[in-house]
mmCIF file of all heavy atoms in Angstrom:
data_model
loop_
_atom_site.group_PDB
_atom_site.id
_atom_site.type_symbol
_atom_site.label_atom_id
_atom_site.label_comp_id
_atom_site.label_asym_id
_atom_site.label_seq_id
_atom_site.Cartn_x
_atom_site.Cartn_y
_atom_site.Cartn_z
ATOM 1 N N ASP A 6 -45.418 4.830 87.493
ATOM 2 C CA ASP A 6 -45.107 4.023 86.329
ATOM 3 C C ASP A 6 -45.572 4.530 85.039
ATOM 4 O O ASP A 6 -45.015 4.578 84.029
ATOM 5 C CB ASP A 6 -45.621 2.538 86.489
ATOM 6 C CG ASP A 6 -44.986 1.921 87.679
ATOM 7 O OD1 ASP A 6 -43.985 2.229 87.988
ATOM 8 O OD2 ASP A 6 -45.634 0.814 88.275
ATOM 9 N N SER A 13 -40.353 7.816 78.961
ATOM 10 C CA SER A 13 -39.563 6.965 77.923
ATOM 11 C C SER A 13 -40.200 7.212 76.566
ATOM 12 O O SER A 13 -39.440 7.218 75.489
ATOM 13 C CB SER A 13 -39.737 5.513 78.287
ATOM 14 O OG SER A 13 -41.052 5.015 78.317
ATOM 15 N N LEU A 21 -35.955 9.825 67.937
ATOM 16 C CA LEU A 21 -36.453 9.577 66.598
ATOM 17 C C LEU A 21 -36.303 10.845 65.800
ATOM 18 O O LEU A 21 -35.955 10.909 64.553
ATOM 19 C CB LEU A 21 -37.873 9.129 66.574
ATOM 20 C CG LEU A 21 -38.502 8.766 65.143
ATOM 21 C CD1 LEU A 21 -37.795 7.743 64.542
ATOM 22 C CD2 LEU A 21 -39.906 8.375 65.386
ATOM 23 N N GLY A 53 2.108 3.171 30.900
ATOM 24 C CA GLY A 53 1.212 2.055 30.980
ATOM 25 C C GLY A 53 1.237 1.481 29.663
ATOM 26 O O GLY A 53 1.159 0.163 29.434
ATOM 27 N N VAL A 61 4.436 -3.843 21.748
ATOM 28 C CA VAL A 61 5.812 -3.795 22.512
ATOM 29 C C VAL A 61 6.331 -5.144 22.682
ATOM 30 O O VAL A 61 7.369 -5.547 22.594
ATOM 31 C CB VAL A 61 5.794 -2.993 23.744
ATOM 32 C CG1 VAL A 61 7.147 -2.949 24.462
ATOM 33 C CG2 VAL A 61 5.372 -1.480 23.445
ATOM 34 N N GLN A 85 29.532 -36.497 12.729
ATOM 35 C CA GLN A 85 28.755 -37.592 12.365
ATOM 36 C C GLN A 85 29.672 -38.926 12.399
ATOM 37 O O GLN A 85 30.774 -38.835 12.101
ATOM 38 C CB GLN A 85 28.323 -37.424 10.952
ATOM 39 C CG GLN A 85 27.453 -38.603 10.527
ATOM 40 C CD GLN A 85 26.918 -38.371 8.984
ATOM 41 O OE1 GLN A 85 27.193 -37.383 8.393
ATOM 42 N NE2 GLN A 85 26.095 -39.352 8.474
ATOM 43 N N PRO A 92 29.824 -59.981 7.457
ATOM 44 C CA PRO A 92 30.603 -61.193 7.393
ATOM 45 C C PRO A 92 31.763 -61.068 6.211
ATOM 46 O O PRO A 92 31.524 -60.229 5.290
ATOM 47 C CB PRO A 92 29.744 -62.391 6.976
ATOM 48 C CG PRO A 92 28.577 -61.515 6.203
ATOM 49 C CD PRO A 92 28.490 -60.242 6.945
ATOM 50 N N GLY A 99 41.700 -72.057 0.499
ATOM 51 C CA GLY A 99 42.236 -72.248 1.969
ATOM 52 C C GLY A 99 41.667 -71.295 2.927
ATOM 53 O O GLY A 99 41.921 -71.504 4.191
ATOM 54 N N SER A 130 23.339 -8.162 11.601
ATOM 55 C CA SER A 130 22.621 -7.006 10.946
ATOM 56 C C SER A 130 21.100 -7.264 11.218
ATOM 57 O O SER A 130 20.355 -6.401 11.231
ATOM 58 C CB SER A 130 22.963 -6.918 9.458
ATOM 59 O OG SER A 130 22.566 -8.184 8.837
ATOM 60 N N GLY A 138 13.452 -1.529 14.695
ATOM 61 C CA GLY A 138 12.075 -1.904 14.687
ATOM 62 C C GLY A 138 11.345 -1.691 16.105
ATOM 63 O O GLY A 138 10.306 -1.064 16.157
ATOM 64 N N THR A 139 12.243 -2.174 17.102
ATOM 65 C CA THR A 139 11.603 -1.968 18.550
ATOM 66 C C THR A 139 11.498 -0.463 18.852
ATOM 67 O O THR A 139 10.454 0.105 19.464
ATOM 68 C CB THR A 139 12.549 -2.604 19.418
ATOM 69 O OG1 THR A 139 12.597 -4.082 19.230
ATOM 70 C CG2 THR A 139 12.116 -2.413 20.860
ATOM 71 N N LEU A 146 4.114 4.272 19.106
ATOM 72 C CA LEU A 146 3.077 4.082 20.277
ATOM 73 C C LEU A 146 3.053 5.370 21.086
ATOM 74 O O LEU A 146 1.895 5.880 21.515
ATOM 75 C CB LEU A 146 3.540 2.891 21.131
ATOM 76 C CG LEU A 146 2.523 2.427 22.282
ATOM 77 C CD1 LEU A 146 1.169 2.221 21.816
ATOM 78 C CD2 LEU A 146 3.145 1.293 23.027
ATOM 79 N N ASP A 186 -46.283 33.338 26.564
ATOM 80 C CA ASP A 186 -47.468 33.162 27.278
ATOM 81 C C ASP A 186 -48.221 34.335 27.679
ATOM 82 O O ASP A 186 -49.526 34.486 27.832
ATOM 83 C CB ASP A 186 -47.190 32.353 28.483
ATOM 84 C CG ASP A 186 -46.776 30.894 28.159
ATOM 85 O OD1 ASP A 186 -47.081 30.357 27.109
ATOM 86 O OD2 ASP A 186 -46.038 30.276 29.050
ATOM 87 N N ASP A 208 -26.386 18.239 20.063
ATOM 88 C CA ASP A 208 -24.949 18.427 20.106
ATOM 89 C C ASP A 208 -24.260 18.016 21.416
ATOM 90 O O ASP A 208 -23.191 17.409 21.403
ATOM 91 C CB ASP A 208 -24.584 19.945 19.734
ATOM 92 C CG ASP A 208 -25.063 20.319 18.402
ATOM 93 O OD1 ASP A 208 -25.119 19.556 17.539
ATOM 94 O OD2 ASP A 208 -25.071 21.704 18.324
ATOM 95 N N LEU A 226 -5.092 1.554 23.686
ATOM 96 C CA LEU A 226 -3.734 1.550 23.452
ATOM 97 C C LEU A 226 -2.965 1.312 24.678
ATOM 98 O O LEU A 226 -1.885 0.667 24.614
ATOM 99 C CB LEU A 226 -3.357 3.105 23.032
ATOM 100 C CG LEU A 226 -3.871 3.478 21.684
ATOM 101 C CD1 LEU A 226 -3.516 4.965 21.573
ATOM 102 C CD2 LEU A 226 -3.204 2.644 20.566
ATOM 103 N N PRO A 242 -0.482 21.365 24.888
ATOM 104 C CA PRO A 242 0.760 22.253 24.989
ATOM 105 C C PRO A 242 0.835 23.257 23.883
ATOM 106 O O PRO A 242 1.654 23.215 22.946
ATOM 107 C CB PRO A 242 1.865 21.019 24.780
ATOM 108 C CG PRO A 242 1.197 20.152 23.978
ATOM 109 C CD PRO A 242 -0.248 20.036 24.279
ATOM 110 N N ASP A 245 4.140 25.409 23.271
ATOM 111 C CA ASP A 245 5.426 24.843 22.609
ATOM 112 C C ASP A 245 5.367 25.299 21.107
ATOM 113 O O ASP A 245 4.472 25.543 20.607
ATOM 114 C CB ASP A 245 5.524 23.395 22.655
ATOM 115 C CG ASP A 245 5.577 22.859 24.213
ATOM 116 O OD1 ASP A 245 6.017 23.828 24.951
ATOM 117 O OD2 ASP A 245 5.321 21.728 24.467
ATOM 118 N N LEU A 263 14.313 5.599 8.786
ATOM 119 C CA LEU A 263 15.481 5.441 7.883
ATOM 120 C C LEU A 263 16.650 4.541 8.494
ATOM 121 O O LEU A 263 17.309 3.711 7.869
ATOM 122 C CB LEU A 263 16.072 6.859 7.642
ATOM 123 C CG LEU A 263 15.267 7.713 6.801
ATOM 124 C CD1 LEU A 263 15.984 9.033 6.387
ATOM 125 C CD2 LEU A 263 14.728 7.109 5.460
ATOM 126 N N GLN A 302 43.027 -51.220 9.334
ATOM 127 C CA GLN A 302 43.433 -50.132 8.581
ATOM 128 C C GLN A 302 42.849 -48.872 9.200
ATOM 129 O O GLN A 302 41.636 -48.922 9.563
ATOM 130 C CB GLN A 302 42.788 -50.373 7.106
ATOM 131 C CG GLN A 302 43.276 -51.515 6.326
ATOM 132 C CD GLN A 302 42.636 -51.583 4.943
ATOM 133 O OE1 GLN A 302 41.799 -50.822 4.656
ATOM 134 N NE2 GLN A 302 43.110 -52.617 4.207
ATOM 135 N N ILE A 309 36.044 -31.987 0.059
ATOM 136 C CA ILE A 309 35.844 -30.559 -0.233
ATOM 137 C C ILE A 309 34.847 -30.659 -1.467
ATOM 138 O O ILE A 309 35.243 -31.351 -2.501
ATOM 139 C CB ILE A 309 37.078 -29.861 -0.673
ATOM 140 C CG1 ILE A 309 38.082 -29.823 0.512
ATOM 141 C CG2 ILE A 309 36.704 -28.425 -1.212
ATOM 142 C CD1 ILE A 309 39.424 -29.230 0.109
ATOM 143 N N PRO A 312 32.378 -26.900 -6.929
ATOM 144 C CA PRO A 312 31.251 -26.174 -7.431
ATOM 145 C C PRO A 312 31.251 -26.188 -9.116
ATOM 146 O O PRO A 312 31.572 -25.239 -9.746
ATOM 147 C CB PRO A 312 31.393 -24.696 -7.015
ATOM 148 C CG PRO A 312 32.911 -24.576 -6.801
ATOM 149 C CD PRO A 312 33.348 -25.888 -6.399
ATOM 150 N N ALA A 323 19.200 -13.706 -6.684
ATOM 151 C CA ALA A 323 18.032 -13.263 -5.803
ATOM 152 C C ALA A 323 18.575 -12.316 -4.715
ATOM 153 O O ALA A 323 17.812 -11.246 -4.436
ATOM 154 C CB ALA A 323 17.260 -14.380 -5.164
ATOM 155 N N LEU A 342 9.569 10.629 3.736
ATOM 156 C CA LEU A 342 9.716 11.278 4.999
ATOM 157 C C LEU A 342 9.839 12.829 4.803
ATOM 158 O O LEU A 342 9.108 13.611 5.585
ATOM 159 C CB LEU A 342 10.876 10.688 5.746
ATOM 160 C CG LEU A 342 10.559 9.583 6.716
ATOM 161 C CD1 LEU A 342 11.954 9.046 7.249
ATOM 162 C CD2 LEU A 342 9.672 9.704 7.685
ATOM 163 N N MET A 346 7.028 15.283 6.084
ATOM 164 C CA MET A 346 7.471 16.288 7.210
ATOM 165 C C MET A 346 7.122 17.621 6.776
ATOM 166 O O MET A 346 6.697 18.557 7.527
ATOM 167 C CB MET A 346 8.869 16.121 7.397
ATOM 168 C CG MET A 346 9.495 16.930 8.717
ATOM 169 S SD MET A 346 9.978 18.572 8.252
ATOM 170 C CE MET A 346 11.349 18.237 7.149
ATOM 171 N N ALA A 349 3.449 18.389 6.994
ATOM 172 C CA ALA A 349 3.037 18.595 8.329
ATOM 173 C C ALA A 349 3.377 19.867 8.852
ATOM 174 O O ALA A 349 2.721 20.545 9.606
ATOM 175 C CB ALA A 349 3.555 17.393 9.170
ATOM 176 N N ALA A 378 -26.006 41.928 20.605
ATOM 177 C CA ALA A 378 -27.267 41.285 20.223
ATOM 178 C C ALA A 378 -28.191 40.949 21.420
ATOM 179 O O ALA A 378 -29.383 41.123 21.383
ATOM 180 C CB ALA A 378 -27.013 39.992 19.331
ATOM 181 N N MET A 393 -30.480 34.638 18.263
ATOM 182 C CA MET A 393 -30.064 33.279 18.218
ATOM 183 C C MET A 393 -29.028 33.164 17.043
ATOM 184 O O MET A 393 -28.031 32.343 17.128
ATOM 185 C CB MET A 393 -31.359 32.493 17.652
ATOM 186 C CG MET A 393 -32.409 32.154 18.862
ATOM 187 S SD MET A 393 -31.731 31.104 19.963
ATOM 188 C CE MET A 393 -33.145 30.934 21.036
ATOM 189 N N TYR A 413 -3.167 22.235 15.717
ATOM 190 C CA TYR A 413 -1.859 22.767 15.924
ATOM 191 C C TYR A 413 -1.066 21.725 16.627
ATOM 192 O O TYR A 413 0.161 21.473 16.299
ATOM 193 C CB TYR A 413 -1.917 23.936 16.878
ATOM 194 C CG TYR A 413 -0.584 24.717 17.445
ATOM 195 C CD1 TYR A 413 0.164 25.320 16.508
ATOM 196 C CD2 TYR A 413 -0.208 24.336 18.590
ATOM 197 C CE1 TYR A 413 1.268 25.982 16.959
ATOM 198 C CE2 TYR A 413 0.987 25.084 19.105
ATOM 199 C CZ TYR A 413 1.736 25.856 18.176
ATOM 200 O OH TYR A 413 2.989 26.287 18.591
ATOM 201 N N LEU A 428 9.473 16.245 20.393
ATOM 202 C CA LEU A 428 9.215 17.714 20.305
ATOM 203 C C LEU A 428 8.321 18.264 21.352
ATOM 204 O O LEU A 428 8.445 19.437 21.687
ATOM 205 C CB LEU A 428 8.695 18.024 18.863
ATOM 206 C CG LEU A 428 9.587 17.532 17.663
ATOM 207 C CD1 LEU A 428 8.957 17.783 16.390
ATOM 208 C CD2 LEU A 428 10.918 18.301 17.691
#
Side-chain angles (χ1 to χ4, degrees):
D6 291 340
S13 61
L21 183 59
V61 178
Q85 183 177 0
S130 59
T139 301
L146 182 59
D186 291 340
D208 293 341
L226 294 176
D245 295 345
L263 295 184
Q302 298 179 355
I309 300 177
L342 276 177
M346 189 273 296
M393 290 292 183
Y413 177 79
L428 301 175

